[in-house]
Amino acid sequence: MKKIRTVTGDVPVDRMGVTLTHEHLLYTYPGGEHDHRSSYVLEDAVARISAELKAGMDAYGYGTLVDMTPAEVGRNPELMKRVAERTGANIIAVSGFFPERMGIPYWFRRQSVDELTDFYYRDLTEGMVFAGAATGIKAGAIKIATGQESVHPALSPMGPNGRRIHQYEDRLIRAAARAQRKTLCCINTHTDPMDYTVTNPGVEQLEILEEEGADLGKVIVGHAFVEPRGVEQIEAIVRRGATVQVDHIGIPWRFDGDEGLDESMAGLMQVLADKGYMDQMVITYDRWFFNPRGPATQENPQLLNQGVGLGYIFETFVPRLRGKGFTDADVHRMMVENPRRLLSMDSL
């Protein structure tokens, strides 16, 4: 039987249940681990996160969560493991980094594609490193990320090969593809909505992955529904065989309120479903369970990511989808069957 790789060990895919493909149990920004305002007590954070997650599991049937927190943004393997043990959730960690203009520590910018491939592979097969120590807690997917919202696309120079993906991002994407070839793991991506105004960042990511022999059928492109310039951009991604992720449900990124974003995303989903792409969509929040710097302020409005409740998908968004012709079987397909296929790692 195919399995997923979780922070507590490998789990048969038939035990996944309802799956959220892009969430963050603990989230900071690069450098936050050195700030007094972002310090936390590990056991207190575990208790807080576990209580919220377990309540959502009991009420809405969540079984699996992909923690998409990259290495330099607060990824804490021990925290993830303790939350998984306390709640019974299948938690999948990722190996990978933030976009170049926000992350990718200097240490990794100096490494070759072969060295980065080895880093990914060891995270997946030996376990992640935290604070200089090997943990033995394994990642179960790879994250790649490009773009950055604070940089206007018109001022964003071309990177290697005429793409708006820059030198170190390009290198990490190639390494991700090579590591995927060795493990058959899922690659889950971050694209920035602003980049869709000048290019198709999802397609650019897929082009590099394809050049290195990746299986695009095991790739999830994130954030493509937030602010595309037409459904054609999303369709260009799925035509290559990749899956697109419907995220920021109930979280009004780039919109004045959740109503506008939810309706826009549901409408785009309807078009894709009508075109036969139901097998290439997954649904998630991209919420933060705990950002130790909180609460939200005018300077840090992103902390509102913690505000959406775990019931929002089923209580608010699914009824919206039903109004557009989606059935409960369709929701099951996007939240259980599609993640099951994408996240399996039967080669390890």
Side-chain angles (χ1 to χ4, degrees):
M1 178 177 289
K2 293 185 178 182
K3 298 179 179 180
I4 56 170
R5 177 144 292 176
T6 80
V7 294
T8 54
D10 291 355
V11 173
V13 293
D14 63 359
R15 289 170 45 193
M16 287 178 65
V18 177
T19 299
L20 296 171
T21 54
H22 187 134
E23 307 299 331
H24 300 279
L25 296 183
L26 174 71
Y27 190 97
T28 61
Y29 285 116
E33 69 272 24
H34 306 297
D35 192 341
H36 297 275
R37 292 172 294 180
S38 296
S39 63
Y40 62 92
V41 176
L42 178 60
E43 188 51 37
D44 291 348
V46 168
R48 170 178 173 165
I49 295 166
S50 297
E52 183 176 14
L53 178 56
K54 188 63 167 65
M57 293 170 65
D58 292 345
Y60 304 103
Y62 297 116
T64 300
L65 177 151
V66 181
D67 188 327
M68 281 285 283
T69 307
E72 79 277 46
V73 188
R75 185 188 70 179
N76 187 324
E78 181 63 26
L79 179 142
M80 287 186 274
K81 182 180 179 181
R82 292 193 194 184
V83 170
E85 291 171 339
R86 186 170 295 199
T87 63
N90 302 314
I91 295 176
I92 299 173
V94 295
S95 179
F97 301 93
F98 239 24
E100 182 171 318
R101 285 162 285 184
M102 288 184 70
I104 312 180
Y106 181 71
W107 175 268
F108 291 97
R109 294 183 182 218
R110 292 179 60 90
Q111 295 189 24
S112 67
V113 173
D114 286 343
E115 289 172 318
L116 295 168
T117 301
D118 184 64
F119 168 78
Y120 287 138
Y121 184 76
R122 295 182 69 176
D123 266 7
L124 291 159
T125 60
E126 298 178 15
M128 297 168 282
V129 172
F130 182 75
T135 68
I137 301 170
K138 299 172 185 176
I142 295 173
K143 175 173 184 169
I144 61 173
T146 59
Q148 162 53 10
E149 64 185 36
S150 65
V151 178
H152 194 281
L155 305 178
S156 179
M158 291 290 185
N161 303 310
R163 302 183 180 103
R164 293 182 187 274
I165 290 176
H166 299 286
Q167 175 184 355
Y168 304 113
E169 294 169 343
D170 182 277
R171 197 178 297 170
L172 282 160
I173 294 170
R174 295 184 186 281
R178 296 181 190 183
Q180 190 217 48
R181 285 166 50 194
K182 297 172 69 174
T183 63
L184 301 185
C185 71
C186 178
I187 296 174
N188 205 338
T189 92
H190 165 99
T191 62
D192 191 271
M194 185 178 288
D195 288 345
Y196 287 90
T197 64
V198 293
T199 188
N200 188 325
V203 168
E204 289 193 348
Q205 290 176 346
L206 296 177
E207 287 174 349
I208 298 171
L209 290 170
E210 194 168 40
E211 288 171 3
E212 296 292 336
D215 178 0
L216 301 190
K218 298 272 286 185
V219 177
I220 303 171
V221 175
H223 313 327
F225 282 82
V226 174
E227 205 174 10
R229 293 305 185 263
V231 73
E232 295 79 14
Q233 287 186 311
I234 303 176
E235 191 175 358
I237 294 169
V238 295
R239 280 202 306 267
R240 288 178 172 263
T243 293
V244 282
Q245 180 176 271
V246 185
D247 51 55
H248 281 78
I249 295 169
I251 305 170
W253 193 22
R254 309 301 179 87
F255 281 74
D256 292 335
D258 51 53
E259 170 68 25
L261 180 55
D262 285 357
E263 180 59 25
S264 171
M265 294 194 297
L268 292 167
M269 291 174 69
Q270 182 181 17
V271 174
L272 287 178
D274 289 345
K275 289 175 176 286
Y277 294 115
M278 187 77 73
D279 287 339
Q280 291 169 255
M281 290 189 282
V282 292
I283 300 174
T284 196
Y285 289 107
D286 190 10
R287 74 190 298 276
W288 303 344
F289 281 78
F290 178 46
N291 185 314
R293 187 176 177 180
T297 65
Q298 186 174 352
E299 291 74 27
N300 285 282
Q302 297 94 336
L303 293 173
L304 290 170
N305 274 42
Q306 293 177 207
V308 63
L310 283 173
Y312 188 92
I313 285 176
F314 291 102
E315 294 175 359
T316 302
F317 194 69
V318 167
R320 185 185 297 275
L321 292 180
R322 289 197 191 105
K324 296 185 182 297
F326 287 83
T327 66
D328 289 344
D330 295 331
V331 175
H332 185 271
R333 198 164 164 186
M334 293 184 286
M335 298 197 72
V336 177
E337 296 173 21
N338 294 350
R340 184 184 295 165
R341 181 188 72 251
L342 290 156
L343 293 164
S344 64
M345 294 180 64
D346 55 342
S347 70
L348 295 183

